[in-house]
Every structure is written in structure tokens, then in C-alpha cells.
Amino acid sequence: MTTSPDPNQEAAEPCVALKQVGKRFGSNWVLRGVDASFPAGAVTAIVGESGSGKTTLLQLVNGMRRADEGQVEVLGEPVPERNVEAFRRRIGYAVQGARLFPHMTVAQNVTLLARLEGWPEERRQGRLNELVSAMGLEAEIAERYPHQISGGQQHRVGLCRAMMLHPDMLLLDEPFSAIDPINRTDIYPVFEALHEREPISTLLVTHDMAEARRLADYLVIVGDGGVVQAGAREAVLEAPANATVTRLLEAGT
């Protein structure tokens, strides 16, 4: 379990602030009237049932989708309408299934953005070695192709790629859900160690409350088109706001 940041710092410096945010697809409002802020330096788990808007919320934070109402502020500023690519380079992103490029080696996958950013080879190699070691992978894996490594290893490589540029924030969309239970249990302490080493503001979308209990400092429960409850992990666990939250918590025990 990671260490929660100081509560006063959380209130003063959220990594994300949603102000009356709404998002619709056609006439269907997936999210509406969402007011919430997520603490900097912590792991925030966004939990909800399928179709509740978890991934949409993450996409609003990353600028992949635009809010139809309200304002999304990330790292102290509104999500920009222009030069979004530069904004996104400040944010690491890892998704379910890792989605590594099959024609590239592990090293090429991890260092892709650093090469596009013009990092010199020595700096790229140093960061690659650092991340591979932090994720508990053998050094020689860097020269293999995705089909030559296991699914669990692919997910660790995906995290390496997301962390390559020393991002200011990390977004994780169901990153561990495709891993079998044994490997998932193995990757949790590796993720926790990485976060302790580089305590980056992290938003973790998951439908797995047990995973949220294990990894998160702060819980955001999404449902009924908005945020049902948000707060420090222990506060939510001890006092669920309604039956929806209670049901999710019971599913994760």
C-alpha cells in the first residue's frame, strides 16, 4: 500500500479537478454534473460497474474526449484545446492488454516516445535499464519481441513505456484485468514498489474492488452518471454512501 500524501496538500493541489463536467454520446449522458478532485501524489482508483463512465472520465483527463459541459483541469490547468500532443506527453498511459507494437522489440516499444522527443541514446538506454530493473524484468528481455514474452511480462513492459518520459501523471485503464490471477498478484507489489520509488499522481480505472483496496490511497466510485462517492480509501470502506457503494465493496471482499 502506498503512502497517502498530506491531506492539506491534497485539498490545495489536486492533480485533477472536475467542475460540473458532463459528457454525452448522442442524446445519452454518460456523465453529468460531476464535481470532484483527485489528490496529487496518490493512487486514485476509479471504480464502477461496466458502462458507468470510468474510461470516459479517464479519456476526458487525457484530452482524448472533450467535455460537453463544465471544465476539466489537469495539473493545475484546463485541458488545452490546442497542442494536445505536448500536453499528453506529460501523462503516461497504460491500458488493458498492454498493446505493444508487435514489430518492435521491447526496447523499441519502451523508448519510442523518448526517441520522438529526441533523447540521446545514452539517456534512453539509462532510463530503459532503470525501468526494466524496477519492474523486476531481466535485462535481456529488452531485445525480445512481444510474442516472445509472457502476458504478465508484456503488461510490465507497458508500464515501463508509460513511465519512460518521467510523466507528471499516470493513467491506467484496467491495466491488470487481462492478467491471470497468479501473475496479477505478482505484479501488484512491483507496481507498489515503482510508485514508492517514483510517487507520481496516478488514476487507476478498475472494476475490481479488491484491486482498488490493495493499490489505492483514494477511491472514486462512479455510477448513475456521476461520482457516487469519493474519499480516502479507509473513509469510503468504513462509511459507504449508499447501496451501490456497499454492493461494490462487498464484491471486493
Side-chain angles (χ1 to χ4, degrees):
M1 185 61 209
T2 53
T3 302
S4 297
D6 182 88
N8 294 323
Q9 185 180 21
E10 290 179 16
E13 300 177 2
C15 62
V16 172
L18 308 173
K19 301 179 179 180
Q20 284 296 301
V21 168
K23 179 62 186 175
R24 67 182 176 186
F25 298 100
S27 60
N28 180 38
W29 288 91
V30 179
L31 299 168
R32 196 163 198 190
V34 177
D35 276 307
S37 60
F38 308 151
V43 176
T44 295
I46 302 170
V47 188
E49 297 174 343
S50 178
S52 62
K54 304 185 301 297
T55 293
T56 299
L57 195 156
L58 211 64
Q59 291 171 339
L60 291 172
V61 171
N62 200 35
M64 295 174 66
R65 297 190 184 276
R66 292 282 168 187
D68 294 303
E69 292 180 342
Q71 181 167 278
V72 181
E73 294 182 357
V74 178
L75 302 172
E77 299 178 357
V79 175
E81 295 187 8
R82 298 181 179 179
N83 202 21
V84 179
E85 290 305 317
F87 163 75
R88 287 179 185 155
R89 287 193 183 101
R90 300 178 62 193
I91 301 174
Y93 204 111
V95 298
Q96 179 180 348
R99 298 187 189 177
L100 303 177
F101 294 109
H103 62 289
M104 293 183 179
T105 65
V106 165
Q108 290 169 336
N109 267 282
V110 174
T111 62
L112 175 60
L113 288 179
R115 284 183 279 123
L116 294 175
E117 287 288 283
W119 283 24
E121 182 178 356
E122 183 177 356
R123 184 183 180 192
R124 295 198 309 265
Q125 189 63 45
R127 180 61 170 163
L128 171 65
N129 294 343
E130 183 180 63
L131 289 169
V132 167
S133 175
M135 292 304 297
L137 297 168
E138 299 295 331
E140 56 266 24
I141 203 172
E143 300 310 315
R144 297 179 190 169
Y145 288 87
H147 73 273
Q148 296 174 318
I149 62 178
S150 70
Q153 289 172 327
Q154 289 183 31
H155 283 78
R156 296 188 190 206
V157 171
L159 284 174
C160 290
R161 181 172 62 183
M163 292 292 290
M164 182 69 193
L165 296 184
H166 295 283
D168 297 317
M169 181 182 296
L170 182 61
L171 306 183
L172 305 175
D173 190 357
E174 300 274 11
F176 311 126
S177 62
I179 307 175
D180 65 78
I182 294 176
N183 282 319
R184 195 182 311 166
T185 301
D186 289 342
I187 203 172
Y188 287 163
V190 175
F191 172 78
E192 289 169 329
L194 178 65
H195 188 269
E196 183 175 352
R197 174 176 175 164
E198 300 186 25
I200 183 174
S201 301
T202 301
L203 304 188
L204 166 66
V205 163
T206 180
H207 66 276
D208 187 339
M209 182 57 77
E211 181 171 275
R213 285 172 178 263
R214 168 69 188 264
L215 299 178
D217 304 296
Y218 195 85
L219 295 178
V220 176
I221 312 299
V222 180
D224 300 322
V227 173
V228 179
Q229 186 174 5
R233 183 178 61 98
E234 293 303 327
V236 174
L237 295 179
E238 292 173 5
N242 57 26
T244 298
V245 181
T246 300
R247 185 172 64 253
L248 286 171
L249 293 178
E250 289 174 348
T253 56

